[in-house]
Amino acid sequence: MKLPWKLPLVVGGSAKPASAEGMTAYRRDPARLADEVRLYAAAGCGIVRVPTAGANRILLEKDGLGGEVQAINAQLTAVVRQAAESGLTAGCLGPTGLRAEPYGDTPVTALIAVYAEQAKALRDAGCDMLLCEGMTSLNEARAALLAARETRLPVIVTLRVDDQGETATGARLLPTVITLQALGAAAVGIETDAPAGEAAEWIEEALDYAAVPLAVLSSAAPEETQEAYLERMHALLDAGTAIVGGAVVSAQTLEALCRLADEHAIVAAPEIDTDAAAGEREAFFLGEDISCSEPLVCDSSLEDALIEAEEEYNAARVELAVPEDIPRLLEASQVCRLPIVITTDRALLLDEALLRYPGRLLVDSLGGIERTLIDDIAAQYGAVVF
């Protein structure tokens, strides 16, 4: 779903409590939260976020509040909506602390269920959009998006990256853009404290392949002057960022940032190339001729077979025959430097593989499943059928 608002947009909002203690403080003193929201709204921020990044069942259960997901999200949203008056509100979904497969034991389906509960609560509370912010891996971001898009609200997704532009699992902006825009994200971006020069390079790299607006959320450092912060934001806008913002800064700086964004022209690539596959770490751009390997069996030698396929082919075809093949694929794919093509004659296996894979896969249309069914399954997960 596209963002139906004028770009560039400035995202503002209160500090993001990732614990029940932080959110309880806002609930006990809603006037404090309302005052902070008015600061952002009065400055001209296009989006004011609701500080609910930690209001998911997993984090709330640690403080004995797992049954209050609906109530907490509803209460904080109500305060922000009233204080923001006619401004747009973004309900926030943040990391759960669980490690999603293939880097941990948490199934993607379990993460989707957690995020779906919170996304529904935020939609029912009246949020205008959802912000899946600071995701720690591509599969965590995919899970949040798959859940959030069911609300039919616009969804913005950001990764939290280090000074190298990567999450702890190695996810980068370009393959994330390719993956998430195909899944229906309204905008994709990063949260980072990296210098503007590095962040601008990551934006410029992704711009030619971004069919959605790009976002960079970066807070002003305590020692950073207003001029320095605005220079950073200006550089990001010049690089093609369409959504900027960060955590609490002064009213004067906020107003200056909003003026800067309002006066800035949108930078977009003249031709967008979205014909690409992706893993968590790499993007794979597809030419007219895809030379696939012979079907590779999902057994203990799959990693070696994927590496060997790089010498002769520009795509690795992997055959799925039984459910146990999927975890083997997920593990082995971490060493693969080719786009992966799934071939199978079982629709349920195809659906599960596309659901669980951290990236954007290719699907073999001649695998034995009826073409219309393949197209339907692939479209649900943004996969490429050929």
Side-chain angles (χ1 to χ4, degrees), residues 161-174:
V161 300
D162 59 18
D163 286 354
Q164 303 302 311
E166 298 181 352
T167 68
T169 60
R172 299 188 301 109
L173 178 59
L174 177 55

Side-chain angles (χ1 to χ4, degrees), residues 298-377:
C298 285
D299 58 18
S300 59
S301 64
L302 180 59
E303 286 191 14
D304 292 337
L306 288 171
I307 293 172
E308 291 174 5
E310 297 175 17
E311 298 179 4
E312 190 173 350
Y313 305 99
N314 60 19
R317 192 192 312 265
V318 177
E319 182 175 14
L320 301 180
V322 295
E324 291 76 19
D325 288 345
I326 295 176
R328 295 192 191 108
L329 167 66
L330 297 181
E331 182 175 358
S333 65
Q334 297 178 55
V335 304
C336 186
R337 298 180 63 85
L338 295 176
I340 293 178
V341 182
I342 297 299
T343 184
T344 182
D345 60 2
R346 300 179 61 180
L348 290 179
L349 282 184
L350 177 62
D351 186 279
E352 185 175 356
L354 298 186
L355 169 67
R356 295 169 63 181
Y357 180 76
R360 190 185 192 199
L361 287 167
L362 305 178
V363 179
D364 183 358
S365 63
L366 303 179
I369 304 172
E370 184 181 349
R371 178 58 189 260
T372 56
L373 182 54
I374 288 179
D375 289 341
D376 287 345
I377 295 172

Side-chain angles (χ1 to χ4, degrees), residues 135-197:
M135 297 290 114
T136 61
S137 71
L138 182 50
N139 248 7
E140 184 177 62
R142 290 178 74 254
L145 175 57
L146 285 167
R149 74 180 187 182
E150 294 303 311
T151 65
R152 299 189 179 278
L153 295 175
V155 184
I156 301 172
V157 187
T158 63
L159 294 177
R160 180 67 195 182
V161 300
D162 59 18
D163 286 354
Q164 303 302 311
E166 298 181 352
T167 68
T169 60
R172 299 188 301 109
L173 178 59
L174 177 55
T176 298
V177 167
I178 289 170
T179 300
L180 299 186
Q181 67 185 9
L183 278 175
V188 180
I190 53 176
E191 296 185 22
T192 183
D193 298 322

Side-chain angles (χ1 to χ4, degrees), residues 21-300:
E21 181 181 357
M23 286 177 291
T24 297
Y26 277 139
R27 296 174 73 197
R28 288 175 177 170
D29 187 9
R32 170 190 159 204
L33 174 58
D35 287 343
E36 293 176 1
V37 170
R38 292 189 190 99
L39 172 70
Y40 288 97
C45 291
I47 305 172
V48 179
R49 62 185 175 211
V50 184
T52 51
N56 59 67
R57 180 173 295 275
I58 299 302
L59 294 181
L60 292 178
E61 280 179 348
K62 295 179 180 180
D63 294 278
L65 298 172
E68 297 191 42
V69 173
Q70 180 84 24
I72 292 174
N73 283 278
Q75 182 178 356
L76 294 177
T77 299
V79 173
V80 173
R81 288 189 69 203
Q82 183 175 10
E85 297 180 346
S86 60
L88 301 172
T89 56
C92 294
L93 294 83
T96 62
L98 301 175
R99 288 180 59 82
E101 59 180 350
Y103 301 103
D105 298 328
T106 303
V108 170
T109 50
L111 275 182
I112 292 173
V114 170
Y115 285 125
E117 179 185 27
Q118 188 184 7
K120 182 178 182 299
L122 291 166
R123 178 202 63 192
D124 293 348
C127 289
D128 299 294
M129 71 186 76
L130 298 176
L131 172 58
C132 304
E133 59 177 339
M135 297 290 114
T136 61
S137 71
L138 182 50
N139 248 7
E140 184 177 62
R142 290 178 74 254
L145 175 57
L146 285 167
R149 74 180 187 182
E150 294 303 311
T151 65
R152 299 189 179 278
L153 295 175
V155 184
I156 301 172
V157 187
T158 63
L159 294 177
R160 180 67 195 182
V161 300
D162 59 18
D163 286 354
Q164 303 302 311
E166 298 181 352
T167 68
T169 60
R172 299 188 301 109
L173 178 59
L174 177 55
T176 298
V177 167
I178 289 170
T179 300
L180 299 186
Q181 67 185 9
L183 278 175
V188 180
I190 53 176
E191 296 185 22
T192 183
D193 298 322
E198 280 83 347
E201 288 182 7
W202 307 329
I203 290 292
E204 290 169 349
E205 179 187 36
L207 191 62
D208 286 346
Y209 310 96
V212 298
L214 299 179
V216 179
L217 303 184
S218 183
S219 301
E223 70 281 359
E224 192 171 25
T225 65
Q226 173 179 311
E227 291 74 17
Y229 179 69
L230 292 176
E231 285 179 7
R232 283 205 294 127
M233 295 298 103
H234 201 163
L236 294 173
L237 288 166
D238 284 346
T241 307
I243 300 171
V244 295
V248 176
V249 291
S250 71
Q252 184 181 20
T253 302
L254 275 171
E255 291 170 358
L257 176 60
C258 291
R259 287 196 302 271
L260 177 64
D262 191 52
E263 296 167 358
H264 205 284
I266 294 293
V267 177
E271 296 182 8
I272 303 297
D273 180 3
T274 59
D275 191 17
E280 184 152 40
R281 298 176 176 87
E282 290 192 62
F284 306 103
F285 304 106
L286 310 175
E288 294 183 1
D289 297 321
I290 299 178
S291 174
C292 289
S293 67
E294 292 299 314
L296 305 178
V297 179
C298 285
D299 58 18
S300 59

